[in-house]
Amino acid sequence: MTHPGPDARIRYHRTDWLPLRTLILLRWMAIVGQSSALAVARLYLDFDLPMGLCLMTVAAAILVNLVTNNIFPRNKRLSETQSMALLLFDTLQLAVLLYFTGGLTNPFSLLLLAPVVVSASALDLRATVIIGAAAASCTTVIALFRVPLHTLSGQVFGIPKLFEFGFWLSILVGIAFLGLYARRISTEIHAMSDALLATQLALAREQKLTDLGGVVAAAAHELGTPLATIKLVSSELLDELRAHPSWYEDAVLIRDQADRCRDILRQMGKAGNDDLHLRRAPYSATIHEAAEPHAQRGKSLIFSFDSAGEEPTILRRPELIHGVRNLVQNAVDFAQKSVWIDGTWTADHLILRICDDGAGFAQQILPRIGDPFLRNKRDFPQTRPGYEGMGTGLFIAKTLLERTGAQLSFANGTDPFLNAEERPPRCGAIVEVVWPLAALRTDRGGVLGQNMALE
């Protein structure tokens, strides 16, 4: 599902955005925690720790923080490789400290999960797998080899082997589960953020075009009278200057140039359809306008507007036009020959149904339509091998139309297992949009105000 323009080519990249100061701050917090734990264990709990080796391990973290803080600017954003290297150092530094302080009998060994979670939240899958594997390896090593905890009196502190095995297994499960969970949540948040940005850009572009059209229409309206005056005066001068050929030619040139200006403004005014008196339009005209850019793409657009009662006049909101345009584009992209656009209305609702004769939505994505970046190679029929959509177009359409009060539903027109002869004409995808009439309707009467004069 694509969206026209550069917004459709937005891709989700997670690298080159993790700030260095974030990792430095987290490491300072770890250093303070490690130093405090060592002090409490030595001074208050009377554990006989190899303090020299432990302090050297903490000093290594301090040195890395000082070096990175002085070499790189504070606003440095790390690449994936740089971030992975720093997180690997944090994992190894913590593992070495745990080795000197009892291994898995040290309850702080649970902190080996922290670098994995940070990586899953900020880096790509490759880096997360590497850091997760390093954390799992370090957990296994300190489970087998470590300096036992013992007090100054010589009492060895330990836990039953079964509990130690369970603690080792729980950390490995935690690495896998929390890593997958953090990555899943982070991926969805970033995908939604990127898709919302694409939606805002699309709406801003549509609004800009609409505003530009309003300026053109206003200019055409305001310049119409002076141009008509110039044409009238120049026509009168022609009769009086026939005896003076050079002056006569100048008067003809003035008249012709006035006609040219009128024609130019008339053509520009066709695009400038946001004049104050055209901010509302019949329902059918608005839908025709939205679908018009895709009318010459080799597929037949078949319109049908048939309901009892007077056709409502609605607001030509940019969100509505752009959203419907995206839905029509999606239908034209996948249609074989024809796209049906049916509009109906009742006393309370406006209904728009867009159908095509293509292969329809893939069954596995029907429940997820409207989510951004859902594309997978197996999600779409192989009849469109060059198709590069990622779900952004339908997400944008759904988001924009819901802002106008619409409710959207997606379905297929027929059973995908039927053969070609058994399928009805409208056998492809079906999108139905339903608006409360009160959300879009505008009375035909009422004063809209005068166009602003151009100075």
mmCIF file of all heavy atoms in Angstrom, residues 345-378:
data_model
loop_
_atom_site.group_PDB
_atom_site.id
_atom_site.type_symbol
_atom_site.label_atom_id
_atom_site.label_comp_id
_atom_site.label_asym_id
_atom_site.label_seq_id
_atom_site.Cartn_x
_atom_site.Cartn_y
_atom_site.Cartn_z
ATOM 1 N N TRP A 345 -25.981 8.133 0.412
ATOM 2 C CA TRP A 345 -26.202 8.931 1.610
ATOM 3 C C TRP A 345 -27.582 8.636 2.160
ATOM 4 O O TRP A 345 -28.509 8.253 1.450
ATOM 5 C CB TRP A 345 -26.035 10.422 1.323
ATOM 6 C CG TRP A 345 -26.880 10.926 0.194
ATOM 7 C CD1 TRP A 345 -28.163 11.391 0.252
ATOM 8 C CD2 TRP A 345 -26.484 11.013 -1.182
ATOM 9 N NE1 TRP A 345 -28.603 11.766 -0.993
ATOM 10 C CE2 TRP A 345 -27.594 11.551 -1.887
ATOM 11 C CE3 TRP A 345 -25.316 10.689 -1.869
ATOM 12 C CZ2 TRP A 345 -27.545 11.765 -3.260
ATOM 13 C CZ3 TRP A 345 -25.264 10.910 -3.235
ATOM 14 C CH2 TRP A 345 -26.381 11.440 -3.922
ATOM 15 N N THR A 346 -27.679 8.776 3.445
ATOM 16 C CA THR A 346 -28.957 8.634 4.144
ATOM 17 C C THR A 346 -29.216 9.922 4.906
ATOM 18 O O THR A 346 -28.480 10.911 4.759
ATOM 19 C CB THR A 346 -28.906 7.440 5.116
ATOM 20 O OG1 THR A 346 -27.974 7.720 6.166
ATOM 21 C CG2 THR A 346 -28.483 6.162 4.397
ATOM 22 N N ALA A 347 -30.213 9.893 5.744
ATOM 23 C CA ALA A 347 -30.518 11.093 6.531
ATOM 24 C C ALA A 347 -29.433 11.400 7.540
ATOM 25 O O ALA A 347 -29.295 12.550 7.981
ATOM 26 C CB ALA A 347 -31.860 10.908 7.242
ATOM 27 N N ASP A 348 -28.623 10.397 7.909
ATOM 28 C CA ASP A 348 -27.635 10.598 8.962
ATOM 29 C C ASP A 348 -26.205 10.291 8.556
ATOM 30 O O ASP A 348 -25.270 10.672 9.271
ATOM 31 C CB ASP A 348 -27.977 9.712 10.175
ATOM 32 C CG ASP A 348 -29.349 10.024 10.744
ATOM 33 O OD1 ASP A 348 -29.644 11.227 10.906
ATOM 34 O OD2 ASP A 348 -30.116 9.079 10.997
ATOM 35 N N HIS A 349 -25.995 9.606 7.434
ATOM 36 C CA HIS A 349 -24.650 9.142 7.117
ATOM 37 C C HIS A 349 -24.325 9.338 5.633
ATOM 38 O O HIS A 349 -25.216 9.337 4.779
ATOM 39 C CB HIS A 349 -24.476 7.653 7.462
ATOM 40 C CG HIS A 349 -24.542 7.369 8.920
ATOM 41 N ND1 HIS A 349 -25.723 7.068 9.572
ATOM 42 C CD2 HIS A 349 -23.565 7.344 9.876
ATOM 43 C CE1 HIS A 349 -25.486 6.863 10.859
ATOM 44 N NE2 HIS A 349 -24.185 7.025 11.068
ATOM 45 N N LEU A 350 -23.027 9.489 5.368
ATOM 46 C CA LEU A 350 -22.481 9.406 4.022
ATOM 47 C C LEU A 350 -21.696 8.107 3.930
ATOM 48 O O LEU A 350 -20.948 7.762 4.851
ATOM 49 C CB LEU A 350 -21.544 10.586 3.734
ATOM 50 C CG LEU A 350 -22.153 11.985 3.691
ATOM 51 C CD1 LEU A 350 -21.047 13.019 3.544
ATOM 52 C CD2 LEU A 350 -23.132 12.100 2.539
ATOM 53 N N ILE A 351 -21.853 7.391 2.827
ATOM 54 C CA ILE A 351 -21.206 6.093 2.671
ATOM 55 C C ILE A 351 -20.445 6.095 1.347
ATOM 56 O O ILE A 351 -20.989 6.471 0.305
ATOM 57 C CB ILE A 351 -22.234 4.943 2.690
ATOM 58 C CG1 ILE A 351 -23.038 4.981 3.995
ATOM 59 C CG2 ILE A 351 -21.534 3.596 2.534
ATOM 60 C CD1 ILE A 351 -24.237 4.062 3.992
ATOM 61 N N LEU A 352 -19.194 5.678 1.401
ATOM 62 C CA LEU A 352 -18.366 5.543 0.209
ATOM 63 C C LEU A 352 -17.808 4.124 0.183
ATOM 64 O O LEU A 352 -17.252 3.642 1.174
ATOM 65 C CB LEU A 352 -17.214 6.554 0.231
ATOM 66 C CG LEU A 352 -16.209 6.441 -0.918
ATOM 67 C CD1 LEU A 352 -16.876 6.823 -2.238
ATOM 68 C CD2 LEU A 352 -14.993 7.334 -0.665
ATOM 69 N N ARG A 353 -17.970 3.465 -0.956
ATOM 70 C CA ARG A 353 -17.463 2.098 -1.105
ATOM 71 C C ARG A 353 -16.587 2.044 -2.352
ATOM 72 O O ARG A 353 -17.014 2.428 -3.437
ATOM 73 C CB ARG A 353 -18.620 1.104 -1.213
ATOM 74 C CG ARG A 353 -18.171 -0.352 -1.180
ATOM 75 C CD ARG A 353 -19.368 -1.303 -1.187
ATOM 76 N NE ARG A 353 -20.129 -1.205 0.062
ATOM 77 C CZ ARG A 353 -21.318 -0.628 0.185
ATOM 78 N NH1 ARG A 353 -21.890 -0.078 -0.877
ATOM 79 N NH2 ARG A 353 -21.936 -0.591 1.332
ATOM 80 N N ILE A 354 -15.344 1.584 -2.184
ATOM 81 C CA ILE A 354 -14.378 1.485 -3.282
ATOM 82 C C ILE A 354 -14.044 0.010 -3.480
ATOM 83 O O ILE A 354 -13.553 -0.647 -2.554
ATOM 84 C CB ILE A 354 -13.110 2.299 -2.976
ATOM 85 C CG1 ILE A 354 -13.473 3.781 -2.757
ATOM 86 C CG2 ILE A 354 -12.097 2.162 -4.108
ATOM 87 C CD1 ILE A 354 -12.312 4.625 -2.296
ATOM 88 N N CYS A 355 -14.326 -0.512 -4.683
ATOM 89 C CA CYS A 355 -14.089 -1.924 -4.999
ATOM 90 C C CYS A 355 -13.220 -2.005 -6.245
ATOM 91 O O CYS A 355 -13.212 -1.098 -7.079
ATOM 92 C CB CYS A 355 -15.404 -2.668 -5.245
ATOM 93 S SG CYS A 355 -16.694 -2.371 -4.027
ATOM 94 N N ASP A 356 -12.502 -3.114 -6.391
ATOM 95 C CA ASP A 356 -11.726 -3.343 -7.599
ATOM 96 C C ASP A 356 -11.862 -4.799 -8.016
ATOM 97 O O ASP A 356 -12.466 -5.613 -7.305
ATOM 98 C CB ASP A 356 -10.256 -2.959 -7.390
ATOM 99 C CG ASP A 356 -9.576 -3.779 -6.317
ATOM 100 O OD1 ASP A 356 -9.364 -4.984 -6.541
ATOM 101 O OD2 ASP A 356 -9.237 -3.220 -5.257
ATOM 102 N N ASP A 357 -11.306 -5.122 -9.165
ATOM 103 C CA ASP A 357 -11.377 -6.494 -9.677
ATOM 104 C C ASP A 357 -10.028 -7.196 -9.609
ATOM 105 O O ASP A 357 -9.719 -8.056 -10.423
ATOM 106 C CB ASP A 357 -11.899 -6.502 -11.115
ATOM 107 C CG ASP A 357 -11.026 -5.677 -12.053
ATOM 108 O OD1 ASP A 357 -10.084 -5.009 -11.574
ATOM 109 O OD2 ASP A 357 -11.277 -5.694 -13.284
ATOM 110 N N GLY A 358 -9.221 -6.807 -8.631
ATOM 111 C CA GLY A 358 -7.911 -7.426 -8.457
ATOM 112 C C GLY A 358 -7.979 -8.674 -7.590
ATOM 113 O O GLY A 358 -9.039 -9.290 -7.420
ATOM 114 N N ALA A 359 -6.830 -9.036 -7.022
ATOM 115 C CA ALA A 359 -6.731 -10.253 -6.216
ATOM 116 C C ALA A 359 -7.240 -10.062 -4.791
ATOM 117 O O ALA A 359 -7.401 -11.028 -4.055
ATOM 118 C CB ALA A 359 -5.281 -10.737 -6.175
ATOM 119 N N GLY A 360 -7.479 -8.820 -4.381
ATOM 120 C CA GLY A 360 -7.964 -8.567 -3.026
ATOM 121 C C GLY A 360 -6.837 -8.512 -2.016
ATOM 122 O O GLY A 360 -5.661 -8.706 -2.331
ATOM 123 N N PHE A 361 -7.208 -8.219 -0.778
ATOM 124 C CA PHE A 361 -6.231 -8.187 0.303
ATOM 125 C C PHE A 361 -5.802 -9.606 0.659
ATOM 126 O O PHE A 361 -6.612 -10.534 0.654
ATOM 127 C CB PHE A 361 -6.818 -7.526 1.560
ATOM 128 C CG PHE A 361 -7.178 -6.082 1.379
ATOM 129 C CD1 PHE A 361 -8.505 -5.671 1.441
ATOM 130 C CD2 PHE A 361 -6.204 -5.125 1.161
ATOM 131 C CE1 PHE A 361 -8.843 -4.341 1.283
ATOM 132 C CE2 PHE A 361 -6.531 -3.791 0.995
ATOM 133 C CZ PHE A 361 -7.853 -3.393 1.062
ATOM 134 N N ALA A 362 -4.521 -9.763 0.971
ATOM 135 C CA ALA A 362 -4.055 -11.061 1.470
ATOM 136 C C ALA A 362 -4.738 -11.345 2.803
ATOM 137 O O ALA A 362 -4.882 -10.450 3.653
ATOM 138 C CB ALA A 362 -2.539 -11.046 1.633
ATOM 139 N N GLN A 363 -5.177 -12.565 2.985
ATOM 140 C CA GLN A 363 -5.956 -12.910 4.177
ATOM 141 C C GLN A 363 -5.185 -12.631 5.464
ATOM 142 O O GLN A 363 -5.761 -12.228 6.467
ATOM 143 C CB GLN A 363 -6.360 -14.393 4.122
ATOM 144 C CG GLN A 363 -7.354 -14.718 3.027
ATOM 145 C CD GLN A 363 -8.673 -14.010 3.218
ATOM 146 O OE1 GLN A 363 -9.175 -13.899 4.336
ATOM 147 N NE2 GLN A 363 -9.256 -13.516 2.130
ATOM 148 N N GLN A 364 -3.854 -12.834 5.433
ATOM 149 C CA GLN A 364 -3.098 -12.684 6.666
ATOM 150 C C GLN A 364 -2.943 -11.234 7.108
ATOM 151 O O GLN A 364 -2.578 -10.970 8.252
ATOM 152 C CB GLN A 364 -1.709 -13.325 6.533
ATOM 153 C CG GLN A 364 -0.820 -12.728 5.452
ATOM 154 C CD GLN A 364 -0.959 -13.443 4.132
ATOM 155 O OE1 GLN A 364 -2.037 -13.936 3.816
ATOM 156 N NE2 GLN A 364 0.123 -13.500 3.365
ATOM 157 N N ILE A 365 -3.196 -10.269 6.188
ATOM 158 C CA ILE A 365 -3.030 -8.880 6.599
ATOM 159 C C ILE A 365 -4.359 -8.179 6.844
ATOM 160 O O ILE A 365 -4.363 -7.035 7.305
ATOM 161 C CB ILE A 365 -2.212 -8.078 5.567
ATOM 162 C CG1 ILE A 365 -3.016 -7.862 4.281
ATOM 163 C CG2 ILE A 365 -0.879 -8.738 5.286
ATOM 164 C CD1 ILE A 365 -2.446 -6.801 3.383
ATOM 165 N N LEU A 366 -5.473 -8.838 6.526
ATOM 166 C CA LEU A 366 -6.773 -8.178 6.723
ATOM 167 C C LEU A 366 -6.956 -7.658 8.148
ATOM 168 O O LEU A 366 -7.415 -6.526 8.342
ATOM 169 C CB LEU A 366 -7.912 -9.133 6.352
ATOM 170 C CG LEU A 366 -8.455 -9.015 4.928
ATOM 171 C CD1 LEU A 366 -9.498 -10.080 4.665
ATOM 172 C CD2 LEU A 366 -9.022 -7.627 4.683
ATOM 173 N N PRO A 367 -6.607 -8.441 9.188
ATOM 174 C CA PRO A 367 -6.808 -7.909 10.543
ATOM 175 C C PRO A 367 -5.868 -6.763 10.895
ATOM 176 O O PRO A 367 -6.102 -6.053 11.870
ATOM 177 C CB PRO A 367 -6.536 -9.134 11.445
ATOM 178 C CG PRO A 367 -6.610 -10.324 10.549
ATOM 179 C CD PRO A 367 -6.163 -9.848 9.213
ATOM 180 N N ARG A 368 -4.802 -6.570 10.091
ATOM 181 C CA ARG A 368 -3.797 -5.561 10.439
ATOM 182 C C ARG A 368 -3.810 -4.370 9.512
ATOM 183 O O ARG A 368 -2.942 -3.496 9.622
ATOM 184 C CB ARG A 368 -2.404 -6.199 10.411
ATOM 185 C CG ARG A 368 -2.201 -7.289 11.448
ATOM 186 C CD ARG A 368 -0.759 -7.776 11.412
ATOM 187 N NE ARG A 368 -0.481 -8.498 10.177
ATOM 188 C CZ ARG A 368 0.705 -8.498 9.576
ATOM 189 N NH1 ARG A 368 1.688 -7.797 10.069
ATOM 190 N NH2 ARG A 368 0.892 -9.206 8.475
ATOM 191 N N ILE A 369 -4.748 -4.306 8.588
ATOM 192 C CA ILE A 369 -4.777 -3.185 7.652
ATOM 193 C C ILE A 369 -5.005 -1.888 8.423
ATOM 194 O O ILE A 369 -5.888 -1.790 9.267
ATOM 195 C CB ILE A 369 -5.875 -3.385 6.597
ATOM 196 C CG1 ILE A 369 -5.473 -4.519 5.662
ATOM 197 C CG2 ILE A 369 -6.104 -2.114 5.799
ATOM 198 C CD1 ILE A 369 -6.481 -4.816 4.593
ATOM 199 N N GLY A 370 -4.219 -0.889 8.084
ATOM 200 C CA GLY A 370 -4.248 0.378 8.802
ATOM 201 C C GLY A 370 -3.096 0.530 9.758
ATOM 202 O O GLY A 370 -2.818 1.632 10.229
ATOM 203 N N ASP A 371 -2.364 -0.571 10.040
ATOM 204 C CA ASP A 371 -1.135 -0.473 10.818
ATOM 205 C C ASP A 371 -0.008 -0.072 9.880
ATOM 206 O O ASP A 371 0.058 -0.544 8.747
ATOM 207 C CB ASP A 371 -0.771 -1.814 11.467
ATOM 208 C CG ASP A 371 -1.762 -2.187 12.557
ATOM 209 O OD1 ASP A 371 -2.479 -1.285 13.025
ATOM 210 O OD2 ASP A 371 -1.814 -3.364 12.931
ATOM 211 N N PRO A 372 0.921 0.783 10.333
ATOM 212 C CA PRO A 372 1.999 1.194 9.441
ATOM 213 C C PRO A 372 3.066 0.120 9.317
ATOM 214 O O PRO A 372 3.311 -0.642 10.243
ATOM 215 C CB PRO A 372 2.562 2.440 10.144
ATOM 216 C CG PRO A 372 2.287 2.188 11.591
ATOM 217 C CD PRO A 372 0.976 1.449 11.637
ATOM 218 N N PHE A 373 3.706 0.074 8.166
ATOM 219 C CA PHE A 373 4.875 -0.766 7.930
ATOM 220 C C PHE A 373 4.597 -2.228 8.229
ATOM 221 O O PHE A 373 5.335 -2.890 8.932
ATOM 222 C CB PHE A 373 6.062 -0.278 8.774
ATOM 223 C CG PHE A 373 6.382 1.154 8.545
ATOM 224 C CD1 PHE A 373 5.945 2.127 9.417
ATOM 225 C CD2 PHE A 373 7.088 1.528 7.421
ATOM 226 C CE1 PHE A 373 6.235 3.462 9.186
ATOM 227 C CE2 PHE A 373 7.377 2.859 7.175
ATOM 228 C CZ PHE A 373 6.949 3.830 8.061
ATOM 229 N N LEU A 374 3.479 -2.748 7.681
ATOM 230 C CA LEU A 374 3.162 -4.159 7.898
ATOM 231 C C LEU A 374 3.639 -5.019 6.747
ATOM 232 O O LEU A 374 3.437 -6.223 6.742
ATOM 233 C CB LEU A 374 1.659 -4.360 8.086
ATOM 234 C CG LEU A 374 0.691 -3.856 7.001
ATOM 235 C CD1 LEU A 374 0.617 -4.786 5.812
ATOM 236 C CD2 LEU A 374 -0.684 -3.672 7.608
ATOM 237 N N ARG A 375 4.319 -4.425 5.776
ATOM 238 C CA ARG A 375 4.626 -5.164 4.558
ATOM 239 C C ARG A 375 5.593 -6.305 4.824
ATOM 240 O O ARG A 375 6.581 -6.176 5.509
ATOM 241 C CB ARG A 375 5.244 -4.242 3.499
ATOM 242 C CG ARG A 375 5.589 -4.992 2.210
ATOM 243 C CD ARG A 375 6.201 -4.048 1.196
ATOM 244 N NE ARG A 375 6.505 -4.755 -0.021
ATOM 245 C CZ ARG A 375 7.677 -5.310 -0.276
ATOM 246 N NH1 ARG A 375 8.623 -5.270 0.627
ATOM 247 N NH2 ARG A 375 7.906 -5.912 -1.427
ATOM 248 N N ASN A 376 5.291 -7.428 4.239
ATOM 249 C CA ASN A 376 6.182 -8.572 4.186
ATOM 250 C C ASN A 376 6.054 -9.155 2.797
ATOM 251 O O ASN A 376 5.012 -9.039 2.166
ATOM 252 C CB ASN A 376 5.795 -9.613 5.247
ATOM 253 C CG ASN A 376 6.814 -10.728 5.364
ATOM 254 O OD1 ASN A 376 6.955 -11.552 4.469
ATOM 255 N ND2 ASN A 376 7.508 -10.746 6.483
ATOM 256 N N LYS A 377 7.091 -9.801 2.299
ATOM 257 C CA LYS A 377 7.047 -10.326 0.928
ATOM 258 C C LYS A 377 5.885 -11.282 0.713
ATOM 259 O O LYS A 377 5.363 -11.408 -0.383
ATOM 260 C CB LYS A 377 8.369 -11.031 0.611
ATOM 261 C CG LYS A 377 9.540 -10.070 0.475
ATOM 262 C CD LYS A 377 10.807 -10.819 0.104
ATOM 263 C CE LYS A 377 11.981 -9.848 -0.045
ATOM 264 N NZ LYS A 377 13.236 -10.559 -0.385
ATOM 265 N N ARG A 378 5.481 -11.980 1.737
ATOM 266 C CA ARG A 378 4.391 -12.937 1.571
ATOM 267 C C ARG A 378 3.019 -12.304 1.800
ATOM 268 O O ARG A 378 2.007 -12.973 1.696
ATOM 269 C CB ARG A 378 4.574 -14.100 2.545
ATOM 270 C CG ARG A 378 4.515 -13.699 4.009
ATOM 271 C CD ARG A 378 4.652 -14.922 4.899
ATOM 272 N NE ARG A 378 4.592 -14.558 6.299
ATOM 273 C CZ ARG A 378 5.640 -14.212 7.027
ATOM 274 N NH1 ARG A 378 6.837 -14.159 6.478
ATOM 275 N NH2 ARG A 378 5.519 -13.903 8.309
#
